[in-house]
Short mmCIF file of all heavy atoms in Angstrom, two decimals:
data_model
loop_
_atom_site.label_atom_id
_atom_site.label_comp_id
_atom_site.label_asym_id
_atom_site.label_seq_id
_atom_site.Cartn_x
_atom_site.Cartn_y
_atom_site.Cartn_z
N ALA D 389 -244.53 -79.09 -36.39
CA ALA D 389 -245.91 -79.27 -36.02
C ALA D 389 -246.20 -78.32 -34.86
O ALA D 389 -247.29 -77.71 -34.93
CB ALA D 389 -246.08 -80.71 -35.58
N VAL D 390 -245.34 -78.10 -33.96
CA VAL D 390 -245.61 -77.26 -32.83
C VAL D 390 -245.66 -75.82 -33.25
O VAL D 390 -246.63 -75.07 -32.90
CB VAL D 390 -244.39 -77.39 -31.75
CG1 VAL D 390 -244.62 -76.37 -30.69
CG2 VAL D 390 -244.43 -78.74 -31.13
N PHE D 391 -244.75 -75.49 -34.15
CA PHE D 391 -244.75 -74.02 -34.61
C PHE D 391 -245.91 -73.72 -35.46
O PHE D 391 -246.41 -72.60 -35.58
CB PHE D 391 -243.43 -73.72 -35.36
CG PHE D 391 -242.33 -73.54 -34.36
CD1 PHE D 391 -241.17 -74.44 -34.44
CD2 PHE D 391 -242.26 -72.62 -33.39
CE1 PHE D 391 -240.12 -74.32 -33.63
CE2 PHE D 391 -241.20 -72.63 -32.49
CZ PHE D 391 -240.14 -73.30 -32.62
N THR D 392 -246.40 -74.76 -36.27
CA THR D 392 -247.58 -74.62 -37.05
C THR D 392 -248.84 -74.25 -36.35
O THR D 392 -249.56 -73.37 -36.64
CB THR D 392 -247.80 -75.78 -37.99
OG1 THR D 392 -246.67 -75.97 -38.82
CG2 THR D 392 -249.08 -75.61 -38.85
N VAL D 393 -248.97 -75.04 -35.18
CA VAL D 393 -250.15 -74.87 -34.31
C VAL D 393 -250.07 -73.47 -33.65
O VAL D 393 -251.02 -72.72 -33.60
CB VAL D 393 -250.25 -75.88 -33.29
CG1 VAL D 393 -251.33 -75.62 -32.26
CG2 VAL D 393 -250.50 -77.28 -33.94
N ALA D 394 -248.83 -73.11 -33.20
CA ALA D 394 -248.68 -71.84 -32.47
C ALA D 394 -248.94 -70.60 -33.53
O ALA D 394 -249.61 -69.71 -33.18
CB ALA D 394 -247.25 -71.66 -31.98
N ALA D 395 -248.47 -70.82 -34.69
CA ALA D 395 -248.64 -69.70 -35.74
C ALA D 395 -250.04 -69.57 -36.07
O ALA D 395 -250.60 -68.36 -36.24
CB ALA D 395 -247.75 -70.08 -36.99
N ARG D 396 -250.84 -70.70 -36.14
CA ARG D 396 -252.28 -70.59 -36.40
C ARG D 396 -253.01 -69.90 -35.33
O ARG D 396 -253.88 -69.05 -35.62
CB ARG D 396 -252.76 -72.03 -36.63
CG ARG D 396 -254.22 -72.07 -37.01
CD ARG D 396 -254.68 -73.53 -37.31
NE ARG D 396 -253.79 -74.17 -38.33
CZ ARG D 396 -253.60 -75.50 -38.45
NH1 ARG D 396 -254.28 -76.33 -37.54
NH2 ARG D 396 -252.95 -75.97 -39.44
N LYS D 397 -252.65 -70.14 -34.05
CA LYS D 397 -253.28 -69.41 -32.97
C LYS D 397 -253.04 -67.96 -32.98
O LYS D 397 -253.88 -67.13 -32.70
CB LYS D 397 -252.84 -70.10 -31.69
CG LYS D 397 -253.51 -71.33 -31.29
CD LYS D 397 -253.56 -71.61 -29.77
CE LYS D 397 -254.48 -72.75 -29.39
NZ LYS D 397 -254.46 -73.00 -27.93
N VAL D 398 -251.80 -67.52 -33.28
CA VAL D 398 -251.38 -66.08 -33.38
C VAL D 398 -252.23 -65.47 -34.45
O VAL D 398 -252.74 -64.38 -34.23
CB VAL D 398 -249.95 -66.00 -33.56
CG1 VAL D 398 -249.52 -64.58 -33.95
CG2 VAL D 398 -249.16 -66.50 -32.39
N ARG D 399 -252.30 -66.12 -35.56
CA ARG D 399 -253.02 -65.48 -36.73
C ARG D 399 -254.50 -65.32 -36.36
O ARG D 399 -255.06 -64.23 -36.66
CB ARG D 399 -252.89 -66.41 -37.93
CG ARG D 399 -253.62 -65.88 -39.14
CD ARG D 399 -253.50 -66.85 -40.36
NE ARG D 399 -254.20 -66.35 -41.50
CZ ARG D 399 -253.93 -65.46 -42.33
NH1 ARG D 399 -252.63 -64.89 -42.15
NH2 ARG D 399 -254.60 -65.13 -43.35
N ARG D 400 -255.15 -66.33 -35.68
CA ARG D 400 -256.52 -66.16 -35.40
C ARG D 400 -256.78 -65.12 -34.37
O ARG D 400 -257.84 -64.42 -34.40
CB ARG D 400 -257.12 -67.47 -34.90
CG ARG D 400 -257.09 -68.58 -36.08
CD ARG D 400 -257.48 -69.88 -35.42
NE ARG D 400 -257.49 -70.99 -36.45
CZ ARG D 400 -257.74 -72.26 -36.16
NH1 ARG D 400 -257.89 -72.60 -34.86
NH2 ARG D 400 -257.82 -73.19 -37.13
N ASN D 401 -255.95 -64.96 -33.40
CA ASN D 401 -256.16 -64.12 -32.25
C ASN D 401 -255.61 -62.78 -32.45
O ASN D 401 -256.22 -61.71 -32.01
CB ASN D 401 -255.59 -64.72 -31.00
CG ASN D 401 -256.41 -65.86 -30.46
OD1 ASN D 401 -257.33 -65.80 -29.81
ND2 ASN D 401 -255.97 -67.02 -30.90
N ILE D 402 -254.48 -62.52 -33.09
CA ILE D 402 -253.80 -61.25 -33.19
C ILE D 402 -254.06 -60.57 -34.51
O ILE D 402 -254.29 -59.28 -34.54
CB ILE D 402 -252.24 -61.52 -33.07
CG1 ILE D 402 -251.97 -62.16 -31.76
CG2 ILE D 402 -251.49 -60.11 -33.14
CD1 ILE D 402 -252.46 -61.59 -30.46
N ARG D 403 -254.17 -61.35 -35.60
CA ARG D 403 -254.32 -60.70 -36.92
C ARG D 403 -255.54 -59.79 -37.04
O ARG D 403 -255.39 -58.64 -37.65
CB ARG D 403 -254.36 -61.76 -37.96
CG ARG D 403 -254.40 -61.21 -39.43
CD ARG D 403 -254.34 -62.35 -40.49
NE ARG D 403 -254.27 -61.87 -41.82
CZ ARG D 403 -255.38 -61.61 -42.52
NH1 ARG D 403 -256.62 -61.90 -41.99
NH2 ARG D 403 -255.34 -61.17 -43.71
N PRO D 404 -256.64 -60.07 -36.49
CA PRO D 404 -257.87 -59.23 -36.69
C PRO D 404 -257.66 -57.83 -36.26
O PRO D 404 -258.17 -56.84 -36.70
CB PRO D 404 -258.86 -59.89 -35.90
CG PRO D 404 -258.53 -61.32 -35.93
CD PRO D 404 -257.05 -61.39 -35.84
N TYR D 405 -256.76 -57.53 -35.22
CA TYR D 405 -256.47 -56.30 -34.66
C TYR D 405 -255.68 -55.44 -35.61
O TYR D 405 -255.56 -54.20 -35.47
CB TYR D 405 -255.78 -56.38 -33.30
CG TYR D 405 -256.58 -56.95 -32.27
CD1 TYR D 405 -256.36 -58.33 -31.84
CD2 TYR D 405 -257.60 -56.26 -31.65
CE1 TYR D 405 -257.07 -58.97 -30.85
CE2 TYR D 405 -258.34 -56.93 -30.56
CZ TYR D 405 -258.12 -58.18 -30.23
OH TYR D 405 -258.83 -58.78 -29.34
N PHE D 406 -254.98 -56.04 -36.61
CA PHE D 406 -254.15 -55.36 -37.57
C PHE D 406 -254.80 -55.12 -38.92
O PHE D 406 -254.12 -54.83 -39.92
CB PHE D 406 -252.79 -56.07 -37.70
CG PHE D 406 -251.91 -55.97 -36.52
CD1 PHE D 406 -252.02 -56.85 -35.46
CD2 PHE D 406 -250.93 -54.91 -36.52
CE1 PHE D 406 -251.29 -56.72 -34.37
CE2 PHE D 406 -250.16 -54.84 -35.39
CZ PHE D 406 -250.25 -55.77 -34.33
N GLN D 407 -256.03 -55.44 -39.08
CA GLN D 407 -256.79 -55.34 -40.35
C GLN D 407 -257.68 -54.13 -40.47
O GLN D 407 -258.46 -54.06 -41.44
CB GLN D 407 -257.62 -56.62 -40.53
CG GLN D 407 -256.76 -57.89 -40.57
CD GLN D 407 -255.59 -57.86 -41.54
OE1 GLN D 407 -255.82 -57.69 -42.82
NE2 GLN D 407 -254.35 -58.09 -41.03
#
Side-chain angles (χ1 to χ4, degrees):
V390 173
F391 289 117
T392 299
V393 175
R396 186 177 298 160
K397 280 200 169 186
V398 169
R399 179 179 177 83
R400 292 173 179 174
N401 287 275
I402 306 300
R403 185 175 181 271
Y405 296 103
F406 288 86
Q407 301 305 305

